[in-house]
Amino acid sequence: MARSALLHVMTQAAMKAGRSLIRDFGEVQNLQVSMKGPADFVSNADRRAEEIVHQELSRARPDWGFLMEERGVVEGSDPQHRWIVDPLDGTTNFLHGIPQFAISIGLERDGQIVAGVVFNPAMDELYTAEKGGGAFVNDRRLRVAARKSLPEALFGTGTPFLGHGDHAGYLYELRQIMGETSGVRRMGAASLDMAYVAAGRLDGFWERKLKPWDVAAGAILVREAGGFISGMNGAKFDHEIGDVVCGNEFMRKALSDQIALAERKRTAAAQNG
Ligand code: IPD
Ligand code: CA
Ligand code: CA
Ligand code: CA
């Protein structure tokens, strides 16, 4: 498959950063780790990978700006284009020696995501998508799973953790969805969770309050693989808001309905004291 010039640039940046992450992954005990907030870690591996992605992309497209997890906003002179970069999605996995992490690069044009690359260097899986061009892993075309039965479905999610999210409300969702499906996975890197939906490995995925860099590339992978994505309660998906419910249209809707049902059960429980 011949990749477009744009995807080529994104791929090269992700793969170069991936080599740096793999070197650091081999010496994870020597990394300097600090906390940005409760259970919110960053290491020099994140920063090194981000530096590489920034350098590579700005060399290729000098006028385009950035939104990056660690460095924040870097303004460009082109008002139309912006790269959205998570240099290491799955930092907690990485720091624990778990090879489920990725570099995620999305491209925004006039506020819309038009291309995305997610690279898992430990598994050598490169996910790419461009608007209207389909989604791929390495050179294989992706398609979301076709399943239309909740009892057969396997979903991914992101559980809230120390200092983050509504733990009590989430437990209602988890109880509801665990009771209706074949299982729920919490794998720890949102960009890969969405890539797995695109690949048909997961039937769906939901998580709240992700950041633009967690979801930008994953969202276009899901859509270009024929999937659907919304926010909570069927709201239009917005990568700036970061709530995600996705899958094929049946699964996205079924997942949304289960989340709404869990919310009603929670309200009823609160009313009954
Ligand atoms: C995290 C991962 C995780 C999600 C967190 C994110 P990071 O990203 O995507 O799966 O549950 O909310 O912050 O910090 O490892 O890049
Ligand atoms: Ca982080
Ligand atoms: Ca992330
Ligand atoms: Ca990150």
Side-chain angles (χ1 to χ4, degrees):
M1 182 204 66
R3 281 193 194 103
S4 71
L6 181 64
L7 281 181
H8 180 73
V9 162
M10 295 166 77
T11 296
Q12 291 303 106
M15 289 176 65
K16 191 163 179 188
R19 290 193 287 277
S20 167
L21 288 182
I22 290 297
R23 277 194 298 276
D24 284 330
F25 193 58
E27 294 199 38
V28 85
Q29 65 288 351
N30 297 329
L31 291 175
Q32 291 158 25
V33 183
S34 52
M35 288 224 289
K36 298 190 279 182
D40 188 0
F41 303 98
V42 61
S43 72
N44 36 355
D46 301 63
R47 296 206 181 87
R48 269 196 280 270
E50 191 170 271
E51 185 57 33
I52 291 169
V53 174
H54 179 240
Q55 256 180 22
E56 292 292 303
L57 295 179
S58 39
R59 186 178 307 139
R61 299 288 187 275
D63 301 336
W64 297 5
F66 288 82
L67 171 63
M68 294 177 285
E69 180 176 5
E70 309 308 338
R71 225 200 251 210
V73 172
V74 176
E75 297 289 350
S77 57
D78 176 335
Q80 261 194 306
H81 293 96
R82 183 165 78 144
W83 301 110
I84 303 184
V85 179
D86 191 337
L88 171 47
D89 186 33
T91 297
T92 302
N93 280 348
F94 185 94
L95 295 175
H96 285 258
I98 298 170
Q100 180 76 357
F101 56 85
I103 297 125
S104 172
I105 305 174
L107 174 65
E108 201 183 62
R109 179 178 296 142
D110 298 323
Q112 302 294 316
I113 306 299
V114 294
V117 166
V118 173
F119 180 46
N120 176 345
M123 285 181 73
D124 209 17
E125 286 188 333
L126 176 72
Y127 295 87
T128 57
E130 197 168 0
K131 199 161 186 212
F136 296 82
V137 60
N138 299 335
D139 286 338
R140 188 166 57 79
R141 181 95 192 230
L142 296 180
R143 190 79 207 154
V144 292
R147 241 169 256 113
K148 286 189 181 163
S149 146
L150 215 43
E152 288 173 24
L154 181 66
F155 288 132
T157 189
T159 44
F161 46 94
L162 177 65
H164 300 260
D166 168 14
H167 296 214
Y170 185 82
L171 287 176
Y172 275 86
E173 285 173 15
L174 203 53
R175 184 179 303 148
Q176 180 64 35
I177 293 162
M178 285 185 324
E180 300 287 335
T181 62
S182 287
V184 177
R185 300 285 182 267
R186 199 299 186 231
M187 289 183 286
S191 62
L192 287 173
D193 293 325
M194 295 170 84
Y196 282 16
V197 171
R201 293 177 180 172
L202 292 173
D203 293 292
F205 166 70
W206 88 102
E207 188 167 352
R208 284 190 166 75
K209 292 197 173 127
L210 288 160
K211 300 291 186 190
W213 47 81
D214 298 315
V215 298
I220 189 162
L221 284 169
V222 169
R223 285 184 169 139
E224 287 297 321
F228 291 79
I229 177 164
S230 66
M232 290 297 151
N233 299 312
K236 191 172 181 296
F237 172 73
D238 181 342
H239 62 273
E240 298 284 351
I241 295 174
D243 290 342
V244 175
V245 181
C246 65
N248 67 30
E249 185 48 358
F250 175 91
M251 289 298 181
R252 188 209 60 76
K253 171 86 175 38
L255 196 44
S256 270
D257 291 347
Q258 292 299 315
I259 294 169
L261 195 53
E263 178 65 35
R264 287 201 291 280
K265 287 186 179 172
R266 183 190 190 185
T267 308
Q271 281 165 354
N272 296 335

